[in-house]
Amino acid sequence: DVVMTQSPLSLPVTLGQPASISCRSSQSLVYSDGNTYLNWFQQRPGQSPRRLIYKVSNRDSGVPDRFSGSGSGTDFTLKISRVEAEDVGVYYCMQGTHWLWTFGQGTKVEIK
Amino acid sequence: QVQLVQSGAEVKKPGASVKVSCKASGYTFTSYGISWVRQAPGQGLEWMGWISAYNGNTNYAQKLQGRVTMTTDTSTSTAYMELRSLRSDDTAVYYCARDTQQQLVPDDDAFDIWGQGTMVTVSS
């Protein structure tokens, strides 16, 4: 199985400041069709996960533009340009290229 | 609107079985599959398996093979996940999520819609 490794696992941030989460995969996530199926999810306390980003950098409908995804191959990053109070929660990367799908361990974002 | 609505919380004794339902609405059920994901208290997300709502093909996580069965009822657009021989470490919130229709073929819409979760508690 593809192992997804996130860092850091805990990220205290100041309101209005940027935040960045790294996700590395144990093998390339480029699929045979040329696309890279790397997703990012946000899970607020007590809620279901919500997909924010698909195929590395595509924002889902309704996701604020302060969230952005980047990367290629095995190295990916989720950035929040200016953290707001509603961004508190756990963020997960997930690969959808290689069967079986696998998640990262999660990064807990909290306000300092 | 597009949504997945799951059945309510369950409390089971060790060794028993549980069956969780996930009713889809707002989209063509058979054009997608359903994955099941669980989350133990305070822990991360664990993918359990997938079923195609188109043809019923399944694929389960190796650690659950033999204890889990996923099915669908296309007449009611409902997916089911049954877990048998429950243990205390099966205590978790169980989620369904929309996924790809075909095994091994990624989909842009995969995991874009999640159910609200079903808490399953295994305790004697």
mmCIF file with all atom_site columns, all heavy atoms in Angstrom, chain A residues 4 12 44 62 64 67 71 90 94 104 109:
data_model
loop_
_atom_site.group_PDB
_atom_site.id
_atom_site.type_symbol
_atom_site.label_atom_id
_atom_site.label_alt_id
_atom_site.label_comp_id
_atom_site.label_asym_id
_atom_site.label_entity_id
_atom_site.label_seq_id
_atom_site.pdbx_PDB_ins_code
_atom_site.Cartn_x
_atom_site.Cartn_y
_atom_site.Cartn_z
_atom_site.occupancy
_atom_site.B_iso_or_equiv
_atom_site.pdbx_formal_charge
_atom_site.auth_seq_id
_atom_site.auth_comp_id
_atom_site.auth_asym_id
_atom_site.auth_atom_id
_atom_site.pdbx_PDB_model_num
ATOM 1  N N   . MET A 1 4   ? 1.184   7.484  3.107  1.00 0.00 ? 4   MET A N   1
ATOM 2  C CA  . MET A 1 4   ? 1.102   8.943  3.047  1.00 0.00 ? 4   MET A CA  1
ATOM 3  C C   . MET A 1 4   ? 1.601   9.505  4.371  1.00 0.00 ? 4   MET A C   1
ATOM 4  O O   . MET A 1 4   ? 1.067   9.141  5.434  1.00 0.00 ? 4   MET A O   1
ATOM 5  C CB  . MET A 1 4   ? -0.342  9.364  2.789  1.00 0.00 ? 4   MET A CB  1
ATOM 6  C CG  . MET A 1 4   ? -0.961  8.738  1.544  1.00 0.00 ? 4   MET A CG  1
ATOM 7  S SD  . MET A 1 4   ? -0.143  9.200  0.035  1.00 0.00 ? 4   MET A SD  1
ATOM 8  C CE  . MET A 1 4   ? -0.663  10.915 -0.110 1.00 0.00 ? 4   MET A CE  1
ATOM 9  N N   . PRO A 1 12  ? 0.215   24.927 15.462 1.00 0.00 ? 12  PRO A N   1
ATOM 10 C CA  . PRO A 1 12  ? -0.390  26.101 16.095 1.00 0.00 ? 12  PRO A CA  1
ATOM 11 C C   . PRO A 1 12  ? -0.109  27.322 15.220 1.00 0.00 ? 12  PRO A C   1
ATOM 12 O O   . PRO A 1 12  ? 1.032   27.543 14.824 1.00 0.00 ? 12  PRO A O   1
ATOM 13 C CB  . PRO A 1 12  ? 0.342   26.204 17.449 1.00 0.00 ? 12  PRO A CB  1
ATOM 14 C CG  . PRO A 1 12  ? 1.263   25.018 17.509 1.00 0.00 ? 12  PRO A CG  1
ATOM 15 C CD  . PRO A 1 12  ? 1.461   24.526 16.115 1.00 0.00 ? 12  PRO A CD  1
ATOM 16 N N   . ARG A 1 44  ? -13.525 19.506 10.685 1.00 0.00 ? 44  ARG A N   1
ATOM 17 C CA  . ARG A 1 44  ? -13.741 20.355 11.849 1.00 0.00 ? 44  ARG A CA  1
ATOM 18 C C   . ARG A 1 44  ? -14.210 19.498 13.007 1.00 0.00 ? 44  ARG A C   1
ATOM 19 O O   . ARG A 1 44  ? -14.766 18.404 12.789 1.00 0.00 ? 44  ARG A O   1
ATOM 20 C CB  . ARG A 1 44  ? -14.775 21.428 11.529 1.00 0.00 ? 44  ARG A CB  1
ATOM 21 C CG  . ARG A 1 44  ? -14.288 22.490 10.539 1.00 0.00 ? 44  ARG A CG  1
ATOM 22 C CD  . ARG A 1 44  ? -15.427 23.382 10.119 1.00 0.00 ? 44  ARG A CD  1
ATOM 23 N NE  . ARG A 1 44  ? -14.961 24.523 9.337  1.00 0.00 ? 44  ARG A NE  1
ATOM 24 C CZ  . ARG A 1 44  ? -15.708 25.130 8.424  1.00 0.00 ? 44  ARG A CZ  1
ATOM 25 N NH1 . ARG A 1 44  ? -16.948 24.698 8.197  1.00 0.00 ? 44  ARG A NH1 1
ATOM 26 N NH2 . ARG A 1 44  ? -15.234 26.162 7.759  1.00 0.00 ? 44  ARG A NH2 1
ATOM 27 N N   . GLY A 1 62  ? -17.218 26.242 -3.219 1.00 0.00 ? 62  GLY A N   1
ATOM 28 C CA  . GLY A 1 62  ? -17.477 26.805 -1.901 1.00 0.00 ? 62  GLY A CA  1
ATOM 29 C C   . GLY A 1 62  ? -16.256 26.892 -0.998 1.00 0.00 ? 62  GLY A C   1
ATOM 30 O O   . GLY A 1 62  ? -16.346 27.452 0.103  1.00 0.00 ? 62  GLY A O   1
ATOM 31 N N   . PRO A 1 64  ? -12.982 28.497 0.278  1.00 0.00 ? 64  PRO A N   1
ATOM 32 C CA  . PRO A 1 64  ? -12.385 29.832 0.159  1.00 0.00 ? 64  PRO A CA  1
ATOM 33 C C   . PRO A 1 64  ? -11.056 29.801 -0.582 1.00 0.00 ? 64  PRO A C   1
ATOM 34 O O   . PRO A 1 64  ? -10.297 28.840 -0.481 1.00 0.00 ? 64  PRO A O   1
ATOM 35 C CB  . PRO A 1 64  ? -12.182 30.249 1.621  1.00 0.00 ? 64  PRO A CB  1
ATOM 36 C CG  . PRO A 1 64  ? -13.140 29.427 2.400  1.00 0.00 ? 64  PRO A CG  1
ATOM 37 C CD  . PRO A 1 64  ? -13.246 28.123 1.680  1.00 0.00 ? 64  PRO A CD  1
ATOM 38 N N   . PHE A 1 67  ? -7.343  28.792 0.577  1.00 0.00 ? 67  PHE A N   1
ATOM 39 C CA  . PHE A 1 67  ? -6.810  27.435 0.548  1.00 0.00 ? 67  PHE A CA  1
ATOM 40 C C   . PHE A 1 67  ? -6.242  27.154 -0.852 1.00 0.00 ? 67  PHE A C   1
ATOM 41 O O   . PHE A 1 67  ? -6.903  27.406 -1.860 1.00 0.00 ? 67  PHE A O   1
ATOM 42 C CB  . PHE A 1 67  ? -7.900  26.392 0.843  1.00 0.00 ? 67  PHE A CB  1
ATOM 43 C CG  . PHE A 1 67  ? -8.366  26.392 2.265  1.00 0.00 ? 67  PHE A CG  1
ATOM 44 C CD1 . PHE A 1 67  ? -9.480  27.128 2.637  1.00 0.00 ? 67  PHE A CD1 1
ATOM 45 C CD2 . PHE A 1 67  ? -7.704  25.648 3.236  1.00 0.00 ? 67  PHE A CD2 1
ATOM 46 C CE1 . PHE A 1 67  ? -9.921  27.141 3.955  1.00 0.00 ? 67  PHE A CE1 1
ATOM 47 C CE2 . PHE A 1 67  ? -8.138  25.633 4.546  1.00 0.00 ? 67  PHE A CE2 1
ATOM 48 C CZ  . PHE A 1 67  ? -9.251  26.393 4.913  1.00 0.00 ? 67  PHE A CZ  1
ATOM 49 N N   . GLY A 1 71  ? 2.117   20.835 -5.747 1.00 0.00 ? 71  GLY A N   1
ATOM 50 C CA  . GLY A 1 71  ? 3.007   19.686 -5.654 1.00 0.00 ? 71  GLY A CA  1
ATOM 51 C C   . GLY A 1 71  ? 2.944   18.813 -6.877 1.00 0.00 ? 71  GLY A C   1
ATOM 52 O O   . GLY A 1 71  ? 2.164   19.053 -7.811 1.00 0.00 ? 71  GLY A O   1
ATOM 53 N N   . VAL A 1 90  ? -8.684  19.200 11.771 1.00 0.00 ? 90  VAL A N   1
ATOM 54 C CA  . VAL A 1 90  ? -7.635  18.285 11.320 1.00 0.00 ? 90  VAL A CA  1
ATOM 55 C C   . VAL A 1 90  ? -7.697  18.174 9.797  1.00 0.00 ? 90  VAL A C   1
ATOM 56 O O   . VAL A 1 90  ? -8.785  18.042 9.228  1.00 0.00 ? 90  VAL A O   1
ATOM 57 C CB  . VAL A 1 90  ? -7.793  16.893 11.966 1.00 0.00 ? 90  VAL A CB  1
ATOM 58 C CG1 . VAL A 1 90  ? -6.660  15.968 11.510 1.00 0.00 ? 90  VAL A CG1 1
ATOM 59 C CG2 . VAL A 1 90  ? -7.794  17.012 13.489 1.00 0.00 ? 90  VAL A CG2 1
ATOM 60 N N   . MET A 1 94  ? -5.027  12.462 1.005  1.00 0.00 ? 94  MET A N   1
ATOM 61 C CA  . MET A 1 94  ? -5.454  11.121 0.621  1.00 0.00 ? 94  MET A CA  1
ATOM 62 C C   . MET A 1 94  ? -5.089  10.890 -0.830 1.00 0.00 ? 94  MET A C   1
ATOM 63 O O   . MET A 1 94  ? -5.320  11.768 -1.673 1.00 0.00 ? 94  MET A O   1
ATOM 64 C CB  . MET A 1 94  ? -6.964  10.966 0.783  1.00 0.00 ? 94  MET A CB  1
ATOM 65 C CG  . MET A 1 94  ? -7.465  9.536  0.597  1.00 0.00 ? 94  MET A CG  1
ATOM 66 S SD  . MET A 1 94  ? -9.150  9.459  -0.047 1.00 0.00 ? 94  MET A SD  1
ATOM 67 C CE  . MET A 1 94  ? -8.827  9.441  -1.800 1.00 0.00 ? 94  MET A CE  1
ATOM 68 N N   . GLY A 1 104 ? -3.249  10.223 4.888  1.00 0.00 ? 104 GLY A N   1
ATOM 69 C CA  . GLY A 1 104 ? -2.195  10.620 5.796  1.00 0.00 ? 104 GLY A CA  1
ATOM 70 C C   . GLY A 1 104 ? -2.713  10.561 7.225  1.00 0.00 ? 104 GLY A C   1
ATOM 71 O O   . GLY A 1 104 ? -3.903  10.347 7.466  1.00 0.00 ? 104 GLY A O   1
ATOM 72 N N   . VAL A 1 109 ? -4.691  21.604 13.153 1.00 0.00 ? 109 VAL A N   1
ATOM 73 C CA  . VAL A 1 109 ? -4.460  23.050 13.108 1.00 0.00 ? 109 VAL A CA  1
ATOM 74 C C   . VAL A 1 109 ? -5.236  23.700 14.235 1.00 0.00 ? 109 VAL A C   1
ATOM 75 O O   . VAL A 1 109 ? -6.446  23.498 14.374 1.00 0.00 ? 109 VAL A O   1
ATOM 76 C CB  . VAL A 1 109 ? -4.906  23.628 11.742 1.00 0.00 ? 109 VAL A CB  1
ATOM 77 C CG1 . VAL A 1 109 ? -4.853  25.151 11.765 1.00 0.00 ? 109 VAL A CG1 1
ATOM 78 C CG2 . VAL A 1 109 ? -4.033  23.067 10.624 1.00 0.00 ? 109 VAL A CG2 1
#
